[in-house]
Amino acid sequence: MPRAPAWLPAEGKDEWKRVLPSLIRRRILTDTDMGVVESYCLAAGTVRRSQMTIAREGDWSAPIEVVRSLVWLLSLEDGQDGKAPEARGD
């Protein structure tokens, strides 16, 4: 079985070890598929790590002041002259 890439985080390597034996046994894995398998394992590992962080630290949402600031900054880019949505009548 090919070794997991060294750059994969631990959670991605765990997924590699879980799925690769089945793919090899079923003879559906080719050399050209390896990039897709690497990307899948990275994504699955990232989701797993993110969910563990959320479970440990709680979910986060931006304070309304941050959201308003982002809306204002984006309005500068879309030609709205930086006016708040309320001032534009949006």
Side-chain angles (χ1 to χ4, degrees), residues 50-60:
S50 298
Q51 286 305 122
M52 288 188 300
T53 300
I54 290 169
R56 184 177 60 250
E57 298 177 12
D59 208 349
W60 181 85

Side-chain angles (χ1 to χ4, degrees), residues 14-28:
D14 290 344
E15 188 66 8
W16 180 279
K17 292 172 190 170
R18 188 185 77 78
V19 300
L20 222 58
S22 175
L23 295 174
I24 291 170
R25 187 173 49 256
R26 293 166 52 197
R27 297 179 180 264
I28 60 172

Side-chain angles (χ1 to χ4, degrees), residues 16-87:
W16 180 279
K17 292 172 190 170
R18 188 185 77 78
V19 300
L20 222 58
S22 175
L23 295 174
I24 291 170
R25 187 173 49 256
R26 293 166 52 197
R27 297 179 180 264
I28 60 172
L29 190 62
T30 67
D31 288 342
T32 58
D33 297 322
M34 295 309 289
V36 175
V37 174
E38 290 173 358
S39 296
Y40 163 73
C41 291
L42 176 61
T46 300
V47 168
R48 189 170 297 134
R49 180 180 286 184
S50 298
Q51 286 305 122
M52 288 188 300
T53 300
I54 290 169
R56 184 177 60 250
E57 298 177 12
D59 208 349
W60 181 85
S61 59
I64 191 64
E65 296 81 19
V66 172
V67 173
R68 284 187 182 136
S69 296
L70 291 173
V71 169
W72 179 78
L73 287 171
L74 291 172
S75 74
L76 293 175
E77 292 182 5
D78 71 6
Q80 298 297 323
D81 300 324
K83 294 178 183 171
E86 311 86 53

